[in-house]
Amino acid sequence: MSYLGVNIDHVATLRQARYRGWEKGLPPEPDVVAAAELAEKAGAHGITVHLREDRRHIQDDDVAALRKVVTTRLNLEMALTKEMVEKALSYLPDEVCLVPESREEVTTEGGLNMLKAPRRAQSAITLLNARRILVSAFIDADLDQVSASHDAGAGAVELHTGTFANATTKRARLAELNRHRKAFEAAHELGLQVNAGHGLHYTNLADYLSAVQGVHTLNIGHGIISRAVFVGLSAAIREMLDIIAQAPAVEKDATANATPSGTETRAAEAGKARA
Ligand code: PXP
């Protein structure tokens, strides 16, 4: 069964709507740390946050506070910049997901181009791996991107599911699922842990998991937080976990390349070293 990483960025988005630039000492709400604790209690296998360069939702102090309380896995999404690599090396999340970032975008709009600055990616990954952080590259479901991620030393890839989620015709959806299946196979063959995320929802997750079997972790945020407005965070997470549990039995073991297993994959190595 795939694991669920709950992205709590939008708990912070709600807080920032009222408390942007708040003075320390005020009790800004909603509290992202409380949200993370509740998410773990409801069964989330990990907590994901994106420390954006413009700090539009998650703040530096949030990451520090989350590092102290998250007992599952803390996954820090971040741009491939010197500043962010330094942040990760000080906060020591369990995982880092390298994402492309532009200040104008509403949300992450495409995968990171791992062919563009391979040496920069490689040196960042080396630094992070040395501190036992598993690095994943958030990429489009493209075979060259999978190879480039592997070549740069990533232990995992996260396949960008946005185009699948936004497809408006059955044909486009099937084409995307096909692309994802091929990318999954290629990444799995290379020993990479394969995650997926962006735009996954109660309405499209079952289709994705039927077509792309063996995904290690699904990172889901907006859909869960939106549902939580109506049913509460715990119920929203449990509903998503139910969908994951009902996914077809996986021929390939989803955790074959997982951390921390005994397998000699980079993902396992990073997990093992951390243990
Ligand atoms: N994975 C990555 C790398 C992301 O950037 C995001 C969005 O922050 C997500 C997963 C979650 O996407 P969504 O909020 O659409 O579920």
Side-chain angles (χ1 to χ4, degrees):
M1 189 180 114
S2 300
Y3 297 132
L4 175 63
V6 176
N7 181 316
I8 56 170
D9 289 350
H10 297 306
V11 175
T13 301
L14 187 54
R15 179 192 61 194
Q16 297 306 100
R18 171 62 61 94
Y19 294 99
R20 184 183 291 266
W22 80 83
E23 295 303 323
K24 298 251 186 291
L26 283 175
E29 60 180 10
D31 179 350
V32 293
V33 169
E37 289 175 321
L38 196 58
E40 289 188 318
K41 230 177 181 170
H45 304 102
I47 301 297
T48 291
V49 288
H50 185 172
L51 186 63
R52 294 189 72 104
E53 290 180 292
D54 62 10
R55 306 300 197 272
R56 68 177 68 163
H57 37 54
I58 292 293
Q59 307 296 304
D60 300 53
D61 286 352
D62 293 328
V63 185
L66 287 166
R67 178 60 295 176
K68 289 193 189 130
V69 303
V70 167
T71 58
T72 53
R73 292 181 73 77
L74 179 62
N75 175 32
L76 178 64
E77 293 174 3
M78 55 177 232
L80 178 51
T81 62
K82 187 166 176 284
E83 182 207 359
M84 285 299 157
V85 171
E86 281 166 6
K87 294 277 175 201
L89 293 173
S90 75
Y91 296 132
L92 298 178
D94 300 288
E95 301 179 19
V96 155
C97 181
L98 297 173
V99 300
E101 206 173 294
S102 104
R103 279 166 198 255
E104 295 75 38
E105 68 192 1
V106 174
T107 182
T108 316
E109 282 167 2
L112 183 64
N113 184 356
M114 290 295 285
L115 298 160
K116 199 171 155 199
R119 272 206 293 268
R120 184 143 57 99
Q122 196 169 20
S123 64
I125 292 170
T126 302
L127 285 170
L128 294 164
N129 281 346
R131 299 308 308 273
R132 324 303 194 217
I133 298 168
L134 172 64
V135 182
S136 132
F138 185 50
I139 55 169
D140 289 329
D142 175 278
L143 300 186
D144 290 339
Q145 294 296 337
V146 170
S147 301
S149 303
H150 178 260
D151 293 347
V157 288
E158 179 168 328
L159 300 179
H160 190 312
T161 46
T163 310
F164 157 72
N166 293 334
T168 51
T169 64
K170 189 172 174 197
R171 192 188 163 116
R173 217 167 23 251
L174 290 176
E176 271 308 297
L177 290 174
N178 206 24
R179 228 158 58 88
H180 276 253
R181 207 166 23 233
K182 287 183 181 153
F184 173 89
E185 294 290 342
H188 198 268
E189 280 301 307
L190 290 169
L192 297 171
Q193 177 176 307
V194 189
N195 304 332
H198 205 94
L200 292 175
H201 214 284
Y202 300 90
T203 50
N204 62 22
L205 184 58
D207 281 353
Y208 189 80
L209 292 176
S210 304
V212 189
Q213 298 185 10
V215 173
H216 183 273
T217 297
L218 299 153
N219 285 309
I220 308 180
H222 192 266
I224 289 176
I225 303 302
S226 300
R227 178 87 181 127
V229 170
F230 297 100
V231 301
L233 186 57
S234 303
I237 289 170
R238 283 196 298 267
E239 286 177 21
M240 200 60 92
L241 286 168
D242 283 347
I243 295 171
I244 296 171
Q246 283 161 25
V250 179
E251 287 165 29
K252 281 187 177 42
D253 179 3
T255 59
N257 293 344
T259 57
S261 75
T263 56
E264 294 305 310
T265 62
R266 286 178 190 159
E269 281 303 305
K272 236 190 312 183
R274 188 173 39 249

